[in-house]
Amino acid sequence: MTATSTITFPCRMPDGTWLGELQIADQRGKATLERDATTARAWIGELDDYIVLLRDASPAVSGFTAPVSAGRIENDGALFGFLPSQAGLGSVRIGLAGPSGEPLWHQSVSIRPAKFRDTIEFETMVSEICDWRTALTLDLRASSSAPWTLDRNLVAIPAEERLAVLRAAAGETAFVEALRHIENNATSKLERETTLVRLGESGIDTHSLGQHLSSAVRRRAVPSSHRLGSRLSAIPTEMPSVRRYDSTDTPDNRFAKFVGEGFRRRIVEAIGGGIDLRTPLGAWGMRTASMLDRILGSRFYRGVGNLTRLELGSPGLQRRRGYRKVLEAFLAGQAGLAVKWDDLDALVHAETRDVPSLYEIWCLVRLRDEIEKTYGIALSQDHISLSLGRLKLRRGTAATASNLVKIADQPFAMKLWYNRSFSPAPSPAVNGFWKTSPLSTGTWTKTMMPDFTIELRPKDGPGELLVHLDAKYKLKSIRNSQNPPPDRTHKADDVDKMHAYLFGINNSVGAYILYPGDTTSYFRRSDLRSTIGAIPVVPGESQNLGDCLKEILEAAVRDA
């Protein structure tokens, strides 16, 4: 992702006095930076140094000093510092100070290499797909007779995928908090400890006196003058002493320790597989492993023994707070790592990363989630198959909505298709030179296969309405004179391709691209009811995808 604009920050004093516009540009005067729409974060290249300029400066900044650098060079504005790209991966404080050193304005800017943004987007997609995969696997396992067990060869699973599954199972911090809760509110059991004490000392258990008299090993002879001498030849030298106490070394606590140690071990193994520790996923792994080290090293967990038997049906594990979350995390982690997903594994391997294909899978996950939340329905799991412990996406399948959805005050049956194939009619009518296709589901001339198709069928009426969506992991950055940060917009060719779906597939009323940009674009000709456009869907950033879906589907229904 490259930009074609400098980054500009407006500068004002605390009382609102205008100071000017602070700009960051490379030394050649060319734009090679990007700025997030919502945060002061600069994404820069790794080879160039950058200059910081103050343009349109007000008289209030005359005689200012520049804390970024000691050097000052006049160059088309008040240059007051160099910002080397090697200062990246941190926060740089830039600002202005008056002649006497009083602060006039300052801004903290996070600097990241441009490719770091791509890493975060890639990692975010893997994490969210694995969240979905972990939950799906539990649901599918509950209704499937296919045998599967934990895959012991976890090294074969890419490190990002393993760590993402563990984070999904742990629920960010919920698992760690559950272990802490158990430490402070542990179950216990009444234990009985028996020791031997010399005769005459306190604590003798009188209930076992007779048995001990007859079976004790260490004995001494009874003097002939003793009144028992005529009956016993020897008596015990020690007698049992019993102490009853509460012990936290219970099966439930052993299970919590076992799960905590397992999570920590797998997180450390995944980090060792090459995770970038500066990314959110890598940072979570390091943070969680450190917290688990401290928790499992506490006096409580060190005093708990090792697990010898899994008792998943324990009422304590299933009902008590903390223990229930640990059990859920264990089952989710087992499920997420037990089922192989070969297609996803191939995409996540560092040497063969296919980000556009990964973006397509991630868009499917996002679409399912947004449709379910926006319309309050559940989609069936027809997109997924589970066979012999392997998960697979099924192309050409439709997930059906559990209930009718209301769009523009009309009820519809909804389906979300994944890679549905639309083909010409098998025997089009021939009229002279023309092959005429019937107005039914299909195409005019050739087979077409959009990434996603939303099918709407009226409750009381024939026919169907089709809205197509294509995932495009492509960008074009442009300079907007009204908005100095660059707009990351779509490529025109990608939207042009939507015309083919719209007019080539019968019953189509809309065709849009999903892309990782900033700009939402809708296009319609005045004499046509159908629409095409581009909808931004960026990994790691919140978008109004649900609102966009609602808008385009209502437009499709109203104009059909």
Side-chain angles (χ1 to χ4, degrees):
M1 298 181 187
T2 58
T4 57
S5 172
T6 58
I7 297 181
T8 303
F9 299 105
C11 309
R12 294 182 183 274
M13 293 179 65
D15 61 2
T17 302
W18 173 255
L19 298 176
E21 286 190 342
L22 191 72
Q23 291 189 350
I24 305 177
D26 68 16
Q27 296 187 78
R28 297 165 297 179
K30 295 183 178 180
T32 56
L33 304 178
E34 289 187 355
R35 179 189 175 188
D36 280 4
T38 57
T39 61
R41 180 176 296 130
W43 304 92
I44 69 178
E46 297 184 343
L47 300 178
D48 296 321
D49 286 344
Y50 296 83
I51 56 177
V52 184
L53 306 168
L54 188 73
R55 302 186 187 277
D56 300 325
S58 73
V61 299
S62 59
F64 72 86
T65 59
V68 171
S69 172
R72 292 182 58 187
I73 304 174
E74 296 299 327
N75 179 17
D76 191 22
L79 169 66
F80 70 101
F82 278 95
L83 188 63
S85 59
Q86 288 74 17
L89 302 178
S91 180
V92 177
R93 187 182 179 91
I94 54 180
L96 308 176
S100 60
E102 73 276 12
L104 299 179
W105 175 90
H106 67 85
Q107 172 76 61
S108 293
V109 182
S110 297
I111 306 295
R112 297 290 186 269
K115 70 177 185 179
F116 194 72
R117 178 177 195 142
D118 298 336
T119 300
I120 292 178
E121 289 188 353
F122 175 84
E123 190 183 81
T124 298
M125 289 189 285
V126 173
S127 296
E128 295 185 9
I129 290 171
C130 285
D131 286 353
W132 178 63
R133 162 199 181 171
T134 302
L136 271 181
T137 305
L138 288 174
D139 293 341
L140 290 168
R141 184 65 185 91
S143 58
S144 172
S145 59
W148 57 269
T149 57
L150 180 63
D151 186 351
R152 300 295 179 185
N153 187 24
L154 297 181
V155 178
I157 302 176
E160 292 97 338
E161 190 181 342
R162 276 181 280 157
L163 199 55
V165 168
L166 293 172
R167 184 168 70 172
E172 198 68 29
T173 62
F175 173 64
V176 172
E177 291 168 357
L179 290 177
R180 284 201 183 106
H181 180 82
I182 291 173
E183 180 181 357
N184 298 322
N185 303 271
T187 60
S188 61
K189 63 180 179 179
L190 190 63
E191 292 281 12
R192 172 175 170 172
E193 181 183 61
T194 302
T195 59
L196 295 175
V197 299
R198 295 185 63 82
L199 286 175
E201 297 180 3
S202 60
I204 294 177
D205 185 3
T206 57
H207 293 89
S208 59
L209 180 60
Q211 180 181 1
H212 191 72
L213 285 173
S214 61
S215 61
V217 175
R218 299 183 62 181
R219 311 173 73 88
R220 62 184 176 87
V222 179
S224 58
S225 59
H226 196 280
R227 58 184 179 180
L228 294 177
S230 60
R231 300 182 180 181
L232 295 173
S233 60
I235 58 174
T237 59
E238 297 173 323
M239 293 293 287
S241 173
V242 178
R243 181 175 69 93
R244 291 177 174 82
Y245 62 97
D246 285 334
S247 171
T248 56
D249 189 13
T250 65
D252 291 350
N253 293 335
R254 289 186 175 192
F255 177 78
K257 177 181 177 180
F258 165 77
V259 177
E261 290 176 339
F263 263 77
R264 182 199 169 280
R265 183 177 62 256
R266 289 178 180 172
I267 289 173
V268 171
E269 289 173 353
I271 291 174
I275 294 289
D276 189 337
L277 302 182
R278 301 167 299 181
T279 59
L281 186 60
W284 174 86
M286 287 295 293
R287 185 172 60 252
T288 303
S290 177
M291 288 189 291
L292 289 175
D293 275 339
R294 291 195 298 271
I295 292 172
L296 296 173
S298 67
R299 181 178 180 182
F300 167 73
Y301 282 107
R302 283 188 287 108
V304 173
N306 295 323
L307 187 70
T308 57
R309 180 181 177 184
L310 276 176
E311 297 182 6
L312 302 183
S314 165
L317 293 181
Q318 296 186 5
R319 298 176 185 175
R320 290 180 64 92
R321 179 185 168 191
Y323 294 93
R324 184 173 60 249
K325 178 58 189 176
V326 169
L327 177 60
E328 291 172 356
F330 172 74
L331 294 176
Q334 292 284 93
L337 294 174
V339 174
K340 291 283 292 178
W341 191 350
D342 296 332
D343 294 338
L344 181 62
D345 292 350
L347 297 177
V348 176
H349 273 300
E351 64 272 16
T352 58
R353 286 180 175 176
D354 184 355
V355 180
S357 297
L358 185 69
Y359 185 68
E360 178 184 316
I361 296 176
W362 179 76
C363 283
L364 174 62
V365 175
R366 283 295 307 275
L367 277 173
R368 289 181 58 96
D369 184 55
E370 293 294 341
I371 289 174
E372 290 180 336
K373 288 192 299 186
T374 301
Y375 293 101
I377 50 93
L379 292 173
S380 63
Q381 306 294 359
D382 297 79
H383 294 147
I384 295 290
S385 67
L386 177 65
S387 176
L388 299 177
R390 294 186 180 273
L391 198 66
K392 190 174 182 63
L393 278 179
R394 300 171 59 203
R395 300 179 183 274
T397 57
T400 305
S402 56
N403 301 304
L404 295 175
V405 299
K406 185 168 286 189
I407 302 174
D409 296 325
Q410 300 180 50
F412 289 89
M414 177 188 283
K415 290 184 179 180
L416 174 63
W417 287 88
Y418 177 49
N419 281 164
R420 180 178 178 180
S421 179
F422 296 88
S423 301
S427 300
V430 179
N431 183 8
F433 293 105
W434 308 103
K435 292 182 179 179
T436 305
S437 298
L439 291 176
S440 59
T441 300
T443 64
W444 293 19
T445 58
K446 68 174 185 178
T447 299
M448 293 183 178
M449 188 182 297
D451 290 342
F452 318 109
T453 299
I454 298 176
E455 174 191 318
L456 300 175
R457 286 188 176 274
K459 176 186 177 184
D460 303 315
E464 64 179 3
L465 302 176
L466 303 176
V467 176
H468 309 291
L469 301 158
D470 248 17
K472 301 290 186 183
Y473 195 73
K474 301 177 183 177
L475 274 180
K476 175 185 177 183
S477 296
I478 61 173
R479 173 69 181 272
N480 185 335
S481 59
Q482 302 299 320
N483 182 19
D487 291 330
R488 297 181 304 153
T489 188
H490 54 81
K491 290 182 176 291
D493 290 348
D494 291 334
V495 173
D496 290 346
K497 294 174 184 176
M498 297 302 101
H499 289 284
Y501 291 152
L502 191 61
F503 298 108
I505 302 176
N506 294 323
N507 302 324
S508 298
V509 290
Y512 303 84
I513 65 168
L514 305 176
Y515 78 109
D518 302 324
T519 308
T520 303
S521 302
Y522 297 137
F523 302 96
R524 168 183 286 165
R525 219 169 67 189
S526 60
D527 60 337
L528 294 176
R529 294 173 294 182
S530 302
T531 58
I532 62 174
I535 300 174
V537 189
V538 184
E541 297 182 13
S542 59
Q543 282 88 29
N544 56 344
L545 177 57
D547 293 337
C548 290
L549 288 174
K550 191 174 182 180
E551 183 176 343
I552 63 177
L553 292 182
E554 288 186 354
V557 169
R558 285 194 307 266
D559 299 337

